[in-house]
Amino acid sequence: QVQLQESGPGLVKPSGTLSLTCVVSGDSITSTNWWTWVRQPPGKGLEWIGEIYHTGSINYNESLKNRLTISVDKSKNEFSLRLTSVTAADTAVYYCARDRVVRGVPPYFDPWGQGTLVIVSS
Amino acid sequence: DIQMTQSPSSLSASVGDRVTITCRASQTIKNYLNWYQQKPGKAPKLLIYGTSTLQSGVPSRFSGSGSGTDFTLTISSLQPEDFATYYCQQSYRTAMFTFGQGTKLEIK
């Protein structure tokens, strides 16, 4: 059973850096899948942030790419998110998920981590 | 970016009702359309991928159809546990995944 678990500070100061890690169990981070981040501001919808492949290939949401870094640590079977210069607009529940890649099948996100709330406030 | 528009944004229905939620893409996405269910305080859960393939363990009362730009999620007979928010997602342009704004399904 594949499981993902996010971790990181729940409170970040404005203009600071938001850093989160997602630990993967039940699947290898070096499998054929991509590994993705999604966020959800309180009471709002889902926004895709970006994703990474174990080789280091990355796709970023254009609206965030200037502030965003996603990395992978194969030795720990985990991947991470770093978002700089945060503002209140970055307050959200942050989810990590597996971007399932199967030949001949459109990609989809499954499973998801439980999510972690990050509040940007002084 | 490919914009995804769901309708309605909210919907009231009763147990046993047949419910349909629609999702429209701003350009063709072939069959690269996924549906997720989210309950309050929980992570989204995959229901359907590739427009019409039910994820393992998802009840058969859920079904999906469509192609190109217009897609639907149908629940044939609403159960109490189905009251949630539903999101569509395009995975055609994988360098920029996008979700619909969500449809909140409430008890009438």
Side-chain angles (χ1 to χ4, degrees), chain A residues 6-21:
Chain A
E6 306 90 349
S7 63
L11 181 64
V12 181
K13 287 184 167 42
S15 77
T17 297
L18 183 161
S19 297
L20 297 173
T21 295

Side-chain angles (χ1 to χ4, degrees), chain A residues 52-100:
Chain A
I52 191 165
Y53 194 64
H54 65 86
T55 57
S57 294
I58 294 174
N59 292 315
Y60 288 154
N61 186 318
E62 287 288 325
S63 69
L64 298 169
K65 66 184 293 185
N66 292 336
R67 301 191 289 130
L68 183 61
T69 302
I70 296 177
S71 59
V72 65
D73 188 331
K74 290 180 278 190
S75 68
K76 295 182 179 179
N77 217 47
E78 65 185 34
F79 62 108
S80 299
L81 165 73
R82 187 170 177 269
L83 186 66
T84 61
S85 304
V86 297
T87 69
D90 295 308
T91 293
V93 176
Y94 286 76
Y95 296 100
C96 59
R98 182 178 65 174
D99 176 6
R100 190 84 169 101

Side-chain angles (χ1 to χ4, degrees), chain A residues 6 36 38 40 43-48 51 59-63 95 98-99 104-115, chain B residues 1 31-34 36 38 41-46 48-51 55 87 89 91-101:
Chain A
E6 306 90 349
T36 198
V38 176
Q40 184 172 39
K44 296 188 178 180
L46 302 168
E47 179 184 32
W48 177 73
E51 64 176 5
N59 292 315
Y60 288 154
N61 186 318
E62 287 288 325
S63 69
Y95 296 100
R98 182 178 65 174
D99 176 6
V105 176
Y108 54 87
F109 295 172
D110 182 73
W112 295 57
Q114 65 184 28
Chain B
D1 297 357
N31 70 327
Y32 287 61
L33 192 284
N34 306 318
Y36 300 86
Q38 186 179 35
K42 299 295 186 182
K45 170 190 167 186
L46 177 70
I48 290 171
Y49 61 91
T51 297
Q55 173 67 337
Y87 293 94
Q89 175 209 26
S91 62
Y92 181 72
R93 189 176 166 209
T94 54
M96 189 61 199
F97 295 97
T98 46
F99 294 89
Q101 80 278 18

Side-chain angles (χ1 to χ4, degrees), chain B residues 21-61:
Chain B
I21 297 169
T22 65
C23 180
R24 175 165 289 176
S26 59
Q27 65 185 74
T28 183
I29 58 171
K30 298 186 177 181
N31 70 327
Y32 287 61
L33 192 284
N34 306 318
W35 289 98
Y36 300 86
Q37 176 194 65
Q38 186 179 35
K39 296 182 178 178
K42 299 295 186 182
K45 170 190 167 186
L46 177 70
L47 292 178
I48 290 171
Y49 61 91
T51 297
S52 58
T53 302
L54 228 55
Q55 173 67 337
S56 176
V58 173
S60 59
R61 62 181 179 272

